[in-house]
Amino acid sequence: MTAATIPARRSGVDHWLDAFGNLTRWQVTRLRRLLPITMVVQVLSTTGIVIGMGLLYGDLPPERVLYLTTGAVTISLITVGIVMGPQILSQERISGSAEYMAALPVPRSAATMGWMVLNLVTVLPGIVSALLAATLRYDVELAVSWPIVPAVVLVVFGATMVGVAYAYAIPNPRTVNAVAQLLIFVVFGFSPIAYPAEQLPDWLASAHRWLPFESMAVVIRDGLTDGLATEVGRAYAVLAIWTAAAVALASWSLGRRP
Amino acid sequence: MVSRIAPPWVFEIDDLRKSYDGEKWANDGITLRIEPGEVFGLLGPNGAGKTTLVKQVVGLLAPTSGTIELGGYDLVADPDHARQLCSYLPQAPVPIESFKVHEAIELAGRIRGGEKSTVRARTEELIDDLELEEWRDTLGAKLSGGVRRLVGFAMTIVHPAPLVILDEPTNDVDPRRRRLLWERIRRLGDEEVAVILVTHNVLEAEKSVDRLAIIDDGRTVAEGTPSSLKAADRDLLRLQVMLTPGVDDPALPAWLRAEARVGNTLVTTVSEPDVPAGLDWAQGLMTEGVAEEYALGATSLEDVYVRLTTVEAVAS
Ligand SMILES: Nc1ncnc2c1ncn2[C@@H]1O[C@H](COP(=O)(O)OP(=O)(O)OP(=O)(O)O)[C@@H](O)[C@H]1O
Ligand SMILES: [Mg+2]
């Protein structure tokens, strides 16, 4: 081998796909112990929400069941992308491994896409188990239709990008952790995800029209039920705006050199 | 040296300045030139600015001013390209907790753009050369600090870029494997790779680098081959005196030069003709009980290093 001549600058689709493949392998290997645990936790929590609420409230009307089921799926997607992801990333910034990754000769977008695929893989078993639990435990008709595919992809992608964006944009990585904690609280307690927005105070309901969480729930509900989701087009539009803004912020903060 | 063929490319840093806070210069006008096949040592005390320098080369930090070029490519303007042209071993431990040793090295080679079979063969070669067989299938989390360092080194050079940057590769590594590491670094030079090697190990660097720069307080205080840096010391010998703790410092004769004071050890240099007098002086200190031991030896790069980086600390 001789390096006396400088190799050509690697770029283009082949290089991107190569990097994407290798980086996905890197991420999977790096999280090989955490990944199965996270999957199990997602399965338990989505199934837990679906079945647990039935135990708590006895006989639920079918519409409540559908809200709960689709809400459990959405919460899982949001938690992984917006809460757990940034917690891992902030840990990596503190330990210095984020800097190691940043010095690797790969496009940042390929690395981020690898991260998204990982998030997607993490949530899939939880989605399936929530749907199975709902069908088996209650007498409800889920109507799974093709829009569930773009809906899941868009929600995971949007959630991942929002997570990556704030995980890198916030100067102090320890603050990232605090923000993630706060978001758990907002998502679980005060977002119209597993219940309709009418149950919230007006001001909070109108805030949620412009926050991404309710829209995420709407597009997922649209892919899993019939006629329960309203203003679906608007929800996609809100998500598209959030995703675009998050992509812009993420690429700015990932490309930033102090 | 007969006639010099022009190198195929050069790596050049010109008047590089970097300040983190806009007040203090971590790099204060550094200029360097390295050719393929050269192992270039970067020495200097803690906080001198060595890591700051190499992080700008690999595009992790933006210079405040100055240029960095490899083969005419502007690395500051195109950090993506910079990362392709430099293989970098950071000073911090590599994040390979959940990787088996051979997995980490192989994947690093693939990420750097190496072919599967070449990378695999080279991984086994490196595991063999650095005597890591015992840990081939061990997870990173279970490795000792030194072994993890060696794995990081292997990950960096398994598919080396034209410029290999090693920030303190010998840290925590045992003396025997350190020797293997230095051999491997020398071989990179034979492969026409340019190597920037940050180290605190002056004595080992002296034997293994082609040229070096000593950095202090963000500035280059000396640059050249190990022997050119020692040229000024050619007819000097080092006389080291171990002082008795608690005793007042002895007065130094005019022909004796104080170089440094490390704990109770006083390092001085003396020119050849004055050696007998120097030995008498040291023997006298022993008799008076001021010193416990003394030693006379050849000067090394370490003496040059200590003199250049501790000037203000020595009151002579
Ligand atoms: N992220 C940072 N923010 C602010 N100042 C920094 C930062 N990193 C380094 N410095 C400062 O810049 C100077 C040079 O640090 P640098 O890490 O480059 O030294 P070094 O020569 O690599 O030292 P060592 O041998 O201890 O690794 C020091 O004064 C250090 O405090
Ligand atoms: Mg350093």
Side-chain angles (χ1 to χ4, degrees):
Chain A
M1 182 178 359
T2 168
T5 51
I6 298 176
R9 189 186 198 284
R10 289 186 290 150
S11 59
V13 179
D14 283 355
H15 172 51
W16 195 95
L17 289 175
D18 229 33
F20 170 72
N22 287 325
L23 264 281
T24 308
R25 250 179 78 198
W26 177 281
Q27 316 263 35
V28 170
T29 313
R30 192 177 43 134
L31 298 172
R32 59 161 46 130
R33 277 174 302 179
L34 192 61
L35 208 57
I37 300 172
T38 317
M39 284 179 168
V40 171
V41 169
Q42 290 311 308
V43 168
L44 292 179
S45 64
T46 54
T47 324
I49 293 177
V50 172
I51 294 178
M53 292 298 166
L55 294 176
L56 199 59
Y57 297 110
D59 263 350
L60 289 171
E63 195 181 295
R64 282 294 295 281
V65 173
L66 290 177
Y67 258 96
L68 268 178
T69 309
T70 58
V73 168
T74 312
I75 285 178
S76 167
L77 303 186
I78 296 179
T79 320
V80 169
I82 299 190
V83 178
M84 293 178 55
Q87 282 173 332
I88 294 176
L89 296 178
S90 96
Q91 205 47 52
E92 288 187 346
R93 282 181 62 195
I94 293 169
S95 73
S97 76
E99 191 172 77
Y100 184 82
M101 303 297 289
L104 293 177
V106 288
R108 297 275 153 86
S109 55
T112 310
M113 279 307 108
W115 181 240
M116 185 200 95
V117 168
L118 209 67
N119 285 347
L120 189 60
V121 170
T122 311
V123 293
L124 288 180
I127 299 184
V128 174
S129 68
L131 301 184
L132 281 179
T135 327
L136 297 177
R137 167 74 175 72
Y138 307 97
D139 194 21
V140 292
E141 288 279 309
L142 285 162
V144 183
S145 58
W146 68 265
I148 191 60
V149 177
V152 167
V153 171
L154 181 64
V155 172
V156 171
F157 181 62
T160 305
M161 291 319 297
V162 169
V164 169
Y166 87 81
Y168 286 104
I170 294 175
N172 185 343
R174 280 164 236 276
T175 316
V176 173
N177 244 321
V179 172
Q181 305 286 343
L182 183 75
L183 284 173
I184 298 184
F185 184 68
V186 173
V187 170
F188 277 87
F190 298 97
S191 296
I193 294 175
Y195 51 84
E198 296 90 71
Q199 298 186 14
L200 286 173
D202 280 352
W203 66 270
L204 196 51
S206 34
H208 272 297
R209 285 182 65 76
W210 297 103
L211 288 171
F213 311 119
E214 184 182 10
S215 296
M216 288 176 169
V218 168
V219 301
I220 295 293
R221 202 172 298 133
D222 174 58
L224 293 176
T225 63
D226 218 359
L228 203 58
T230 51
E231 293 192 275
V232 177
R234 181 180 187 282
Y236 271 104
V238 170
L239 277 188
I241 294 169
W242 271 91
T243 307
V247 167
L249 181 59
S251 39
W252 175 79
S253 22
L254 280 167
R256 185 175 46 165
R257 281 177 291 168
Chain B
M1 207 180 295
V2 196
S3 69
R4 274 190 64 80
I5 315 160
W9 51 267
V10 292
F11 170 72
E12 281 178 303
I13 295 180
D14 191 36
D15 198 21
L16 193 71
R17 283 168 211 275
K18 173 69 186 174
S19 172
Y20 287 97
D21 54 10
E23 283 173 27
K24 196 180 161 292
W25 292 107
N27 285 168
D28 192 3
I30 289 181
T31 298
L32 297 174
R33 182 191 148 96
I34 305 173
E35 295 182 4
E38 261 191 321
V39 178
F40 188 90
L42 208 54
L43 281 70
N46 295 130
K50 305 177 298 294
T51 298
T52 302
L53 178 69
V54 299
K55 278 190 182 173
Q56 293 169 87
V57 177
V58 296
L60 288 173
L61 292 173
T64 308
S65 69
T67 60
I68 306 173
E69 286 186 5
L70 193 151
Y73 295 109
D74 182 344
L75 303 194
V76 178
D78 190 353
D80 290 341
H81 199 192
R83 296 202 301 272
Q84 293 183 12
L85 295 176
C86 308
S87 304
Y88 169 56
L89 174 66
Q91 188 171 0
V94 287
I96 52 165
E97 286 78 3
S98 41
F99 288 78
K100 291 178 181 168
V101 165
H102 76 94
E103 281 176 344
I105 306 174
E106 273 174 35
L107 194 47
R110 301 282 291 143
I111 288 173
R112 292 224 64 89
E115 288 296 327
K116 197 173 209 154
S117 56
T118 326
V119 165
R120 193 159 279 174
R122 181 124 163 153
T123 298
E124 297 309 323
E125 181 192 311
L126 282 165
I127 288 178
D128 204 48
D129 280 5
L130 299 169
E131 297 187 354
L132 297 173
E133 297 88 349
E134 197 181 320
W135 297 282
R136 190 180 176 282
D137 295 303
T138 308
L139 286 181
K142 295 186 179 152
L143 297 174
S144 70
V147 171
R148 197 200 264 223
R149 201 78 197 128
L150 287 165
V151 175
F153 171 71
M155 289 167 73
T156 312
I157 68 157
V158 59
H159 186 77
L163 178 64
V164 168
I165 298 174
L166 306 167
D167 199 344
E168 305 197 11
T170 58
N171 271 12
D172 303 329
V173 177
D174 70 53
R176 179 191 163 76
R177 288 200 174 76
R178 219 151 59 214
R179 201 146 86 204
L180 302 173
L181 191 82
W182 282 111
E183 273 165 25
R184 205 57 229 210
I185 292 172
R186 284 296 343 159
R187 286 219 340 242
L188 283 173
D190 303 339
E191 288 166 4
E192 293 297 297
V193 166
V195 181
I196 295 182
L197 181 102
V198 178
T199 182
H200 288 296
N201 200 324
V202 189
L203 291 177
E204 288 177 1
E206 176 174 4
K207 285 180 277 176
S208 303
V209 303
D210 298 304
R211 283 189 308 125
L212 68 137
I214 299 176
I215 312 258
D216 194 13
D217 216 2
R219 265 179 267 240
T220 312
V221 290
E223 199 207 314
T225 61
S227 40
S228 75
L229 289 182
K230 284 194 301 182
D233 285 11
R234 194 147 289 153
D235 68 337
L236 290 180
L237 287 141
R238 169 170 41 165
L239 180 60
Q240 215 164 294
V241 182
M242 181 86 102
L243 299 171
T244 311
V247 170
D248 286 346
D249 275 19
L252 295 190
W255 38 266
L256 207 59
R257 190 162 76 182
E259 299 290 358
R261 172 73 184 269
V262 185
N264 285 315
T265 306
L266 179 67
V267 183
T268 67
T269 47
V270 53
S271 63
E272 257 169 44
D274 294 326
V275 165
L279 292 176
D280 282 348
W281 172 76
Q283 190 59 52
L285 294 180
M286 300 262 292
T287 324
E288 291 163 34
V290 177
E292 294 179 332
E293 202 185 334
Y294 66 89
L296 182 72
T299 53
S300 70
L301 190 61
E302 196 162 10
D303 298 294
V304 180
Y305 174 87
V306 168
R307 182 182 320 137
L308 286 169
T309 55
T310 48
V311 200
E312 68 274 29
V314 178
S316 57

